[in-house]
């Protein structure tokens, strides 16, 4: 498929556009990447995502798609190699559930832990840890959510490990505890060691600098 | 022993989506009505994380989150498909359903629980969101085309609850002039036999929503 027909509008720091990069890379899909300046959004972005005006946007044969998990499902349906979702409907439902749980429950708690202070931060940290522990149960003792190889949930939620670790460093409170969440901890480590995952990550030192700077604004 | 069990309440718009989906596909199932102030141990066992309805249990395996349940139903029972076949149309349908749940629902609810200037602002936001939905209909009978589909079921709460909220609060949010397509969609959807036969009783809904609105409005009132 020609590179021209697939375009990804993203932002170098955004884990949401990172998920899409991982999926495209896993399936070996050629694409054109467009880095958006979120303080000065391009007319193209506003045209392609008038509802949310956000990245990521995947444009395939001039058809724009938004919302990272929906984009992942689309990619999986169009390009069948290295499937992200399992075949069995119940297993698919479970995968969708955990991806949604990570976005709906783990991420907001992490963001709150990062941006709040005092008692609010304490509550957010507690909630983040609780929800991460619940996420761990979704692994069902497997190495990855996808089994022996990565799948939908790994791509959807694997970034959380890195961001949680960075948040922990910046706020001075550990969020992922290898003692209380051993499986989750190894999952994050194993995931981030995978070559294609590592290759797409933004440079760690730049990412940390960016997050530290963001933190000073709170 | 029945293979399919649906845990629901009599009024939950989320559970209604599942009722409609199963009925549209002609699937037999048992219903268990839950009292959310006194949740059954089965519900807590089947949905320990969210402790909510709906829960669909198929051959002993629980499924939660209404839109995920709809996807499961569509993948398991192929008759009367809810989602289109084309991947970009599927992605579009998922997008609008998610937009409905993430943005439209709360923005509409806010109109009815806020007052004064807050309410005016809430109306602007809600109508902006509804404008996107209106344009999505663009002359179609249903979001899915000629027949009811995924997005229609996702927005069913609009056809079900909006007129009740409007009646209770004396505010018209979706008027025929500003939203001709949406107004017609509401009539078409509400009038479809499969949908109609599962509507919760209107008088009960009015009583319940009156009480709900009172609670939330007093929370929103300026101190």
């Amino acid at each position: 498929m020609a590179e021209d027909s697939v375009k990804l509008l993203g932002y170098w720091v955004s884990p949401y556009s990172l998920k899409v990069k991982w999926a495209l890379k896993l399936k070996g899909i050629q694409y054109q990447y467009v880095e958006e300046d979120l303080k000065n959004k391009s007319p193209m972005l506003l045209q392609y995502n008038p509802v949310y005006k956000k990245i990521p946007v995947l444009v395939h044969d001039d058809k724009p798609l938004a919302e990272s998990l929906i984009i992942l499902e689309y990619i999986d349906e169009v390009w069948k190699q290295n499937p992200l979702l399992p075949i069995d409907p119940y297993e698919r439902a479970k995968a969708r559930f955990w991806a949604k749980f990570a976005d709906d429950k783990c991420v907001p708690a992490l963001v709150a832990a990062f941006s709040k202070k005092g008692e609010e931060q304490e509550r957010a940290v507690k909630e983040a840890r609780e929800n991460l522990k619940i996420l761990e149960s979704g692994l069902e003792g497997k190495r990855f959510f996808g089994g022996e190889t990565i799948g939908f949930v790994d791509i959807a939620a694997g970034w959380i490990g890195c961001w949680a670790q960075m948040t922990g460093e910046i706020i001075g409170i550990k969020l992922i505890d290898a003692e209380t969440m051993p499986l989750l901890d190894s999952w994050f480590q194993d995931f981030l060691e995978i070559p294609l995952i590592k290759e797409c990550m933004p440079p760690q030192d730049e990412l940390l600098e960016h997050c530290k700077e963001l933190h000073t604004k709170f | 022993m029945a293979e399919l069990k649906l845990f629901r309440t009599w009024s939950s718009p989320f559970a209604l989506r599942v009722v409609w989906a199963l009925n549209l596909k002609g699937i037999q199932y048992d219903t268990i009505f839950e009292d959310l102030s006194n949740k059954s141990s089965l519900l807590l066992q089947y949905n320990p994380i969210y402790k909510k309805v709906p829960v669909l249990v198929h051959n002993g395996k629980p499924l939660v989150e209404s839109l995920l349940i709809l996807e499961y139903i569509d993948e398991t029972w192929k008759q009367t498909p809810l989602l289109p076949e084309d991947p970009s149309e599927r992605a579009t349908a998922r997008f609008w359903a998610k937009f409905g749940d993430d943005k439209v629902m709360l923005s509409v609810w806010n109109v009815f629980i806020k007052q004064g200037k807050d309410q005016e602002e809430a109306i602007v936001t809600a109508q902006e969101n509804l404008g996107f939905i209106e344009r999505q209909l663009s002359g179609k009978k249903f979001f899915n085309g000629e027949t009811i589909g995924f997005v229609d079921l996702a927005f069913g709460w609009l056809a079900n609850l909006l007129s009740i909220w409007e009646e209770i609060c004396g505010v018209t949010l979706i008027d025929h002039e500003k939203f001709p397509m949406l107004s017609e969609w509401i009539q078409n959807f509400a009038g479809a036999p499969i949908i109609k036969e599962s509507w919760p009783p209107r008088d009960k809904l009015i009583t319940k929503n009156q009480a709900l609105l009172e609670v939330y409005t007093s929370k929103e009132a300026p101190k």
Side-chain angles (χ1 to χ4, degrees), chain A residues 109-148:
Chain A
L110 278 173
V111 171
F114 182 79
S115 57
K116 307 276 178 201
K117 299 269 181 288
E119 259 183 53
E120 269 189 284
Q121 185 181 54
E122 273 174 39
R123 268 200 302 272
V125 166
K126 183 166 181 279
E127 197 182 322
R129 285 193 185 133
E130 272 164 13
N131 289 336
L132 287 168
K133 186 71 190 159
I134 294 173
L135 184 63
E136 185 184 61
S137 71
L139 268 169
E140 293 172 351
K142 302 188 303 261
R143 188 171 175 221
F144 299 112
F145 280 89
E148 276 306 300

Side-chain angles (χ1 to χ4, degrees), chain B residues 24-39:
Chain B
L24 276 170
K25 289 181 182 264
I27 302 162
Q28 300 296 313
Y29 60 100
D30 281 348
T31 299
I32 294 122
F33 284 99
E34 282 286 328
D35 170 5
L36 294 183
S37 62
N38 186 20
K39 293 172 185 177

Side-chain angles (χ1 to χ4, degrees), chain A residues 65 67 77 90 92 96, chain B residues 62 65 75 90-91 94 98:
Chain A
L65 301 138
E67 297 297 285
E77 286 174 8
Y90 188 69
R92 291 164 76 83
R96 288 174 178 135
Chain B
E65 299 294 282
E75 288 175 2
R90 292 162 74 82
R94 289 174 178 135
K98 189 173 194 289

